[in-house]
Amino acid sequence: LKSNPSNNEEKEAQTQLTKSDELQRLHSQALSAYQHEDYEAAISLLDEILAVCVWDAELRELRAECYIKEGEPSKAISDLKAAAKLKSDNTEAFYKISRIYYQLGDHELSLSEVRECLKLDQDHKQCFSLYKQVKKLNKQIESAEEFIREGRYEDAISKYDSVMKTEPEVTVYSTRAKERICHCLSKNQQATEAIKLCTEVLQLEPTNVNALKDRAEAYLLEDMYEE
């Protein structure tokens, strides 16, 4: 405006200035809501700001944190992926995406994302530590599935036991391991053990189709046709 004053431009400048002030106010409120652990309010405010400031990586990272706290990890991944593209060398975003996938039980995607982090910084301690863990788990699961394809059910059971030892904290892996062990026991005609383990899985996941099918097969072996 100083270099080229005109009525039209002044009106536009005033509009932009008013909008800018409003966005700064919303930003302060969003930070305050986040600090007071009111994540739902923070998300709502950040939605408004990001509708205008689409390319702000830090705001996306903040909204991702709120989504994580609210138990909506898939929405957090979407924001973190955008932040990883918007900010160069954003190892933190790749690390967080990998951690979320890992917690959700998607070890393959977790491995892929943590590798992206290490491409940017091979000495990143958190990423390297996570990489070792996911790689080990991934290898054990792949190996167990290979044994199942070959009909080597005892070896597969042993390998899935190792999976549960490698990751005792994240329940999705132990539940999945038990589901696959139940499958192996059923295929191996160890009906009693299969029924027991499938039932354990179904107490955790009543609609687990694989466990239902494998338990049905085990019941057939025991001539328990009603069950």
Side-chain angles (χ1 to χ4, degrees):
L1 277 176
K2 280 177 185 168
S3 66
N4 187 13
S6 80
N7 287 343
N8 279 352
E9 283 176 9
E10 184 169 1
K11 201 171 177 185
E12 171 66 11
Q14 286 299 340
T15 305
Q16 294 286 14
L17 199 56
T18 306
K19 190 185 280 185
S20 169
D21 289 342
E22 172 66 5
L23 289 172
Q24 283 180 322
R25 188 180 63 77
L26 290 172
H27 187 213
S28 299
Q29 286 179 342
L31 288 174
S32 172
Y34 178 77
Q35 282 152 6
H36 286 94
E37 299 180 12
D38 186 353
Y39 304 116
E40 200 179 329
I43 290 167
S44 175
L45 291 158
L46 288 164
D47 286 348
E48 278 191 71
I49 306 167
L50 279 160
V52 182
C53 309
V54 185
W55 315 115
D56 193 311
E58 281 171 17
L59 289 175
R60 286 191 176 274
E61 285 172 349
L62 181 61
R63 188 167 67 177
E65 278 301 308
C66 294
Y67 281 136
I68 291 166
K69 302 280 190 190
E70 282 288 286
E72 295 192 77
S74 52
K75 288 184 179 177
I77 287 172
S78 170
D79 267 342
L80 287 166
K81 282 191 170 178
K85 285 196 181 92
L86 292 166
K87 203 157 76 180
S88 62
D89 297 346
N90 197 343
T91 52
E92 196 58 29
F94 284 117
Y95 172 70
K96 283 178 180 173
I97 295 166
S98 178
R99 284 259 356 137
I100 293 170
Y101 277 135
Y102 185 74
Q103 296 290 330
L104 290 173
D106 200 328
H107 50 94
E108 288 168 337
L109 280 174
S110 175
L111 190 59
S112 157
E113 294 295 333
V114 80
R115 279 183 176 139
E116 291 300 318
C117 172
L118 290 170
K119 275 184 204 169
L120 295 171
D121 178 5
Q122 59 188 20
D123 298 322
H124 194 290
K125 280 185 182 173
Q126 285 177 306
C127 283
F128 187 65
S129 169
L130 181 60
Y131 171 70
K132 283 198 299 184
Q133 173 74 0
V134 186
K135 192 182 178 191
K136 182 180 178 183
L137 192 74
N138 199 50
K139 198 171 178 185
Q140 288 173 334
I141 292 170
E142 280 180 354
S143 174
E145 288 301 313
E146 185 63 32
F147 286 142
I148 290 172
R149 283 191 290 276
E150 292 169 2
R152 293 165 61 186
Y153 299 117
E154 291 293 338
D155 291 333
I157 289 167
S158 169
K159 198 54 84 173
Y160 268 119
D161 279 332
S162 302
V163 167
M164 290 192 280
K165 289 190 184 89
T166 299
E167 184 43 83
E169 304 293 323
V170 185
T171 54
V172 64
Y173 295 109
S174 54
T175 306
R176 201 61 61 245
K178 284 175 184 175
E179 178 204 299
R180 297 306 277 155
I181 292 171
C182 156
H183 174 73
C184 294
L185 290 167
S186 180
K187 288 285 183 193
N188 220 23
Q189 304 210 328
Q190 292 166 265
T192 311
E193 294 95 321
I195 291 165
K196 183 170 177 280
L197 202 58
C198 280
T199 301
E200 206 177 304
V201 173
L202 287 161
Q203 280 165 352
L204 298 167
E205 296 179 354
T207 56
N208 187 316
V209 174
N210 293 327
L212 285 166
K213 285 197 296 184
D214 289 322
R215 188 169 68 173
E217 291 291 338
Y219 280 141
L220 284 175
L221 292 169
E222 293 288 282
D223 298 336
M224 298 165 73
Y225 300 121
E226 287 295 327
E227 285 86 343

